Amino acid sequence: MTVTTTAATTGSRNSSNSRNSRSTGSAVPAAVSPGPVPVLWLALLATPIAAGANAPVLILPDMARSLGVADGTAAWLLTAFGWAMAVGTPLLAGLLRRRGLAAVLRLATVLVLAGTLLVAASPWLPLTLIGRCAQAAGGAGLVAAAMSLAGSARRMGVISAGFGMLGASGPLLGRTLADGASWRLALAVQAVSLLAVPVVLRRAGGGAPAPAGRFDARGAALLTGLATALVLLPTQPLAALGAAAVAAVLLTLHVRRRPDGFVPVALLRRPVFVVSALLALALSASYFTLLFSVPRLLADRAGWDAASAGVWQLVALLAGSALSWLLAAASTRLGRAAVRTVLVAAGAAAALTGILASSGPLLVVAAGLGVFTASAANGVLSTHAVASAPDEAHRPSAIGLFTLCYQLGGAFGPAVATLLVLGS
């Protein structure tokens, strides 16, 4: 699962604010300690969640048999993980700003450990679902902490590369661990990130919380409710549509009463932010639908075995990730309109190829195009979204809400794949 990378700007801004405070004698504390943490430790802290998120792609039938449920029912483990990552990222990023680095790392550690233990021991799907949600929410906190400490585009690039490589290798890694030991071990691989927590705490310090006004708990709850209803839309359309409509109305009314709350109205009035976030959501959902559908489609339409599907999908995902870096590097020269045109055209080609193709190589190409568009959207559109914020105070909210939209696609994708492919 790819994770948005724009939070690096928060780390840079925090370090800058800390320097300004020292030079002027101001008592305003920085959000986190500016102490330099070696970037490889930050990568270890953040990136294993990408492998853990994608590990179930090729082992979903094994998981279903072990839990005594159908493949379509077991796919809720994928949807729940994406949902918890989506809503957990802005919430844990908010906790980081208000309570500091140590509080976030400790809470994230508890969540990841508890979730991993549940996944390792639970014989029932409901408890396993809770475990996966805890893993995802804890991972969201670790990602937010690592990105806030990156402090430069170069260091952020190392973390981004780690996300791409581990996310691409996640399906084959999950298959290998499941064959050699158990699918439960494949879902526990994310816990490797906890090895970096003591080092990061020691090198960066606890981090002083930034001064902030009263937390908009009602706005956060309403946004979480809306996101939850949207995740259920592919599988429970009528109930989810009604719940989403109610949550959207209540959230709209709340935003009018509190325009500078958890969902700032100033961001919603920025067309660049809205278009960037919605396009990222669509491309992310398309990619994760392909990610979980292509292995089954390769078996059903082209007769490929699981090993061949895993290897060639890995090759396609790595190639697509590399191409996305090239587009991101050229994005400033191309301009916003040209970048969006490329993303929309490639995204449409990926979706149509996945729907219509019966050839194995073409389905692999569809997977590569999917990761290309999603990764490029993550890197480029996130920059557009944050740059559209009216001032510095709104940038953290822009980061959190854009991340929510992107990760929401990670929750939509498995649900759509289940509806169209996995549940058949």
Side-chain angles (χ1 to χ4, degrees), residues 210-291:
R214 182 171 57 88
F215 178 66
D216 183 14
R218 181 175 298 177
L222 289 172
L223 184 63
T224 301
L226 177 60
T228 303
L230 291 175
V231 168
L232 296 174
L233 195 58
T235 54
Q236 305 289 334
L238 293 180
L241 186 61
V246 171
V249 170
L250 293 176
L251 182 60
T252 300
L253 294 174
H254 177 75
V255 168
R256 289 179 178 176
R257 287 194 300 267
R258 190 167 177 183
D260 290 324
F262 197 79
V263 183
V265 71
L267 283 177
L268 301 182
R269 290 174 177 169
R270 300 277 171 159
V272 172
F273 174 81
V274 174
V275 171
S276 298
L278 293 180
L279 182 55
L281 189 157
L283 293 173
S284 174
S286 175
Y287 161 58
F288 284 106
T289 300
L290 287 168
L291 180 68

Side-chain angles (χ1 to χ4, degrees), residues 18 32 36 82 92-93 99 125 136 154 156 181-182 184 202 224 230 238 244-245 247 303 359 366 393 413-414 420:
S18 179
V32 293
L92 271 294
R99 300 299 182 191
L125 179 64
R154 182 177 181 180
M156 195 64 244
S182 168
R184 297 179 187 273
R202 185 170 63 250
T224 301
L230 291 175
L238 293 180
S359 163
L420 299 179

Side-chain angles (χ1 to χ4, degrees), residues 58 92 185 325-326:
L58 299 177
L92 271 294
L185 179 61
W325 298 334
L326 296 178

Side-chain angles (χ1 to χ4, degrees), residues 73-404:
T73 304
W76 279 105
L77 292 167
L78 316 178
T79 302
F81 192 96
W83 167 82
M85 186 72 184
V87 301
T89 301
L91 291 175
L92 271 294
L95 179 65
L96 175 65
R97 292 193 301 271
R98 294 171 183 276
R99 300 299 182 191
L101 179 68
V104 169
L105 288 180
R106 288 166 185 158
L107 176 60
T109 297
V110 170
L111 288 171
V112 171
L113 280 177
T116 301
L117 289 174
L118 277 177
V119 169
S122 171
W124 304 296
L125 179 64
L127 276 180
T128 310
L129 280 171
I130 294 173
R132 287 295 278 171
C133 288
Q135 285 181 311
L142 298 179
V143 169
M147 289 181 173
S148 72
L149 292 168
S152 71
R154 182 177 181 180
R155 284 158 59 86
M156 195 64 244
V158 175
I159 298 174
S160 301
F163 280 126
M165 289 186 292
L166 288 182
S169 61
L172 193 58
L173 176 64
R175 179 73 271 170
T176 301
L177 291 175
D179 289 342
S182 168
W183 63 266
R184 297 179 187 273
L185 179 61
L187 299 193
V189 69
Q190 176 192 343
V192 172
S193 61
L194 300 182
L195 295 174
V197 170
V199 177
V200 173
L201 271 175
R202 185 170 63 250
R203 297 297 296 266
R214 182 171 57 88
F215 178 66
D216 183 14
R218 181 175 298 177
L222 289 172
L223 184 63
T224 301
L226 177 60
T228 303
L230 291 175
V231 168
L232 296 174
L233 195 58
T235 54
Q236 305 289 334
L238 293 180
L241 186 61
V246 171
V249 170
L250 293 176
L251 182 60
T252 300
L253 294 174
H254 177 75
V255 168
R256 289 179 178 176
R257 287 194 300 267
R258 190 167 177 183
D260 290 324
F262 197 79
V263 183
V265 71
L267 283 177
L268 301 182
R269 290 174 177 169
R270 300 277 171 159
V272 172
F273 174 81
V274 174
V275 171
S276 298
L278 293 180
L279 182 55
L281 189 157
L283 293 173
S284 174
S286 175
Y287 161 58
F288 284 106
T289 300
L290 287 168
L291 180 68
F292 288 95
S293 298
V294 163
R296 173 67 71 84
L297 295 177
L298 286 171
D300 293 346
R301 297 181 185 176
W304 287 20
D305 58 33
S308 299
V311 169
W312 284 106
Q313 190 170 22
L314 172 62
V315 171
L317 294 179
L318 290 174
S321 297
L323 289 176
S324 73
W325 298 334
L326 296 178
L327 179 61
S331 61
T332 54
R333 297 191 300 272
L334 293 175
R336 288 178 181 172
V339 169
R340 289 177 183 171
T341 300
V342 170
L343 292 177
V344 171
L352 288 174
T353 303
I355 292 171
L356 300 175
S358 57
S359 163
L362 284 179
L363 289 171
V364 170
V365 169
L369 283 175
V371 73
F372 163 71
T373 57
S375 298
N378 182 34
V380 179
L381 297 182
S382 59
T383 304
H384 296 172
V386 174
S388 70
D391 51 46
E392 285 287 319
H394 287 90
R395 289 193 174 191
S397 295
I399 291 169
L401 294 177
F402 179 89
T403 303
L404 170 64

